[in-house]
């Protein structure tokens, strides 16, 4: 079994935490952390997906345990960061898996560099405009400022959010990593990313029709934060997309891990660089 072992490496001048598995063949898959989790969200499928491809999982800047830079905390800016990281780390023409906060970043990157990704897997992230988000996420985005959240320790906020994982029991080490990743002011600072949705998502909506990357969209039918209407919004506008709705809540990659793995692996195999390039 291939275990996730974290390392650190710079990208765009920031120290980025990552994990790598390099015994699965010629394809490279870049996996992005969901929020408020870390790269260990992929612990559920890591060893099985590693049989298919080389894996590189990262904590995005300001998330997990990677360094933060305020100017990157928006989907559009994070998309540009992804392109720089891929170049600096010489990842070539990777597949990218970016649910939740990764959704906007991946799609902005795919609209900026039309041939960068072999394929993409997204979903469970705010994408619609006008915004269609609910629960705590809606409160965070619409709050006049973040002062009301600063009185809370990030660990407490994340502990509450993880209650949304309904079927999967987090290993204690993974749960602790999630909590530690957003301790102190780390969670409040990371909120800037989703608070940029009202300004970034209208721009993204205009670009969706230009994207050539094949996109697999996966969403949870019972998502209490990001309704599946966001996934349907993307599916209707992306030229080459497939939509699958799982019988889960928000954390589809953990609560529906087997289905998530099968959809992801099938998408990668169907759009391998060997098939898509002469």
């Amino acid at each position: 079994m291939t275990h996730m072992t974290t390392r650190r490496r710079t990208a765009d001048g920031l120290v980025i935490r990552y994990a790598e598995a390099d015994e699965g063949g010629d394809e490279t898959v870049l996996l992005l952390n969901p929020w408020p989790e870390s790269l260990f969200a992929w612990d559920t499928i890591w060893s099985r997906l590693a049989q298919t491809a080389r894996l590189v999982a990262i904590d995005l800047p300001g998330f997990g345990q990677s360094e933060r830079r305020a100017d990157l905390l928006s989907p559009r800016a994070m998309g540009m960061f992804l392109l720089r990281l891929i170049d600096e780390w010489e990842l070539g023409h990777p597949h990218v898996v970016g649910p939740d906060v990764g959704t906007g970043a991946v799609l902005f990157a795919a609209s900026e560099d039309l041939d960068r990704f072999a394929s993409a897997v997204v979903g469970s992230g705010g994408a619609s405009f006008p915004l269609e988000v609910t629960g705590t996420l809606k409160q965070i985005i619409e709050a006049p400022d973040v002062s009301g959240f600063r009185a809370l320790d990030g660990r407490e906020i994340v502990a509450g959010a993880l209650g949304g994982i309904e079927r999967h029991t987090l290993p204690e080490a993974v749960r602790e990593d999630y909590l530690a990743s957003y301790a102190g002011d780390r969670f409040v600072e990371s909120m800037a990313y989703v608070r940029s949705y009202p300004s970034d998502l209208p721009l993204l909506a205009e670009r969706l029709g230009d994207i050539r990357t094949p996109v697999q969209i996966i969403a949870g039918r019972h998502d209490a934060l990001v309704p599946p209407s966001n996934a349907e919004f993307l599916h209707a506008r992306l030229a080459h997309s497939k939509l699958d709705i799982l019988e889960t809540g928000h954390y589809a990659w953990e609560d529906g891990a087997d289905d998530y793995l099968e959809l992801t692996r099938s998408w990668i195999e169907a759009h391998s660089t060997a098939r898509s390039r002469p």
Side-chain angles (χ1 to χ4, degrees):
M1 179 177 287
T2 303
H3 295 285
M4 297 187 77
T5 301
T6 62
R7 300 177 176 86
R8 283 171 169 77
R9 181 177 177 183
T10 60
D12 197 27
L14 295 171
V15 177
I16 301 299
R17 186 175 71 161
Y18 75 102
E20 186 171 6
D22 193 12
E23 54 277 331
D26 296 332
E27 304 297 315
T28 296
V29 182
L30 176 63
L31 301 111
L32 314 179
N33 69 280
W35 181 63
E37 298 184 330
S38 71
L39 55 79
F40 282 105
W42 304 114
D43 179 68
T44 52
I45 67 173
W46 184 258
S47 61
R48 289 177 287 171
L49 190 58
Q51 297 169 17
T52 298
R54 172 197 179 196
L55 307 182
V56 179
I58 65 168
D59 285 337
L60 293 165
F63 296 94
Q65 294 185 23
S66 288
E67 275 192 315
R68 176 176 66 229
R69 199 168 73 220
D71 66 297
L72 294 180
L73 290 176
S74 74
R76 187 180 186 186
M78 196 68 80
M80 300 307 100
F81 167 82
L82 287 178
L83 297 176
R84 292 191 292 271
L85 178 141
I86 290 166
D87 284 341
E88 286 186 35
W89 290 13
E90 299 181 339
L91 298 183
H93 187 54
H95 306 266
V96 60
V97 181
D100 191 66
V101 291
T103 296
V106 168
L107 295 175
F108 265 115
S111 73
E112 187 72 21
D113 187 341
L114 298 178
D115 299 313
R116 172 54 69 188
F117 301 122
S119 77
V121 179
V122 301
S124 303
S128 302
F129 193 81
L131 264 65
E132 295 184 57
V133 295
T134 53
T136 305
L137 180 59
K138 181 179 174 70
Q139 295 171 15
I140 288 172
I141 293 172
E142 295 183 351
D145 57 59
V146 300
S147 59
F149 294 90
R150 290 197 180 277
L152 301 171
D153 187 288
R155 289 178 64 96
E156 298 174 22
I157 300 173
V158 174
L162 296 180
I165 301 175
E166 299 165 346
R167 301 181 199 166
H168 175 66
T169 300
L170 288 174
E172 191 53 42
V174 173
R175 180 181 178 84
E176 177 55 32
D177 188 82
Y178 293 169
L179 298 178
S181 292
Y182 299 95
D185 70 350
R186 286 274 296 179
F187 181 85
V188 174
E189 295 299 330
S190 69
M191 285 167 45
Y193 186 94
V194 297
R195 285 172 60 81
S196 72
Y197 282 4
S199 57
D200 272 22
L201 293 186
L203 299 174
L204 180 60
E206 294 175 1
R207 293 187 177 199
L208 293 175
D210 298 330
I211 293 173
R212 297 203 293 250
T213 303
V215 181
Q216 165 74 65
I217 308 162
I218 305 174
R221 189 180 308 279
H222 312 292
D223 194 323
L225 299 171
V226 184
S229 56
N230 287 268
E232 292 160 357
F233 181 93
L234 292 177
H235 185 46
R237 290 162 177 79
L238 290 167
H240 188 173
S241 66
K242 177 172 173 280
L243 172 61
D244 286 274
I245 306 290
L246 304 185
E247 295 298 327
T248 69
H250 179 69
Y251 299 89
W253 48 91
E254 286 165 324
D255 278 336
D258 291 345
D259 290 334
Y260 202 100
L261 170 66
E262 185 53 38
L263 289 169
T264 299
R265 185 160 51 195
S266 296
W267 197 248
I268 290 166
E269 290 173 349
H271 299 93
S272 70
T273 53
R275 294 188 187 189
S276 62
R277 286 190 160 185

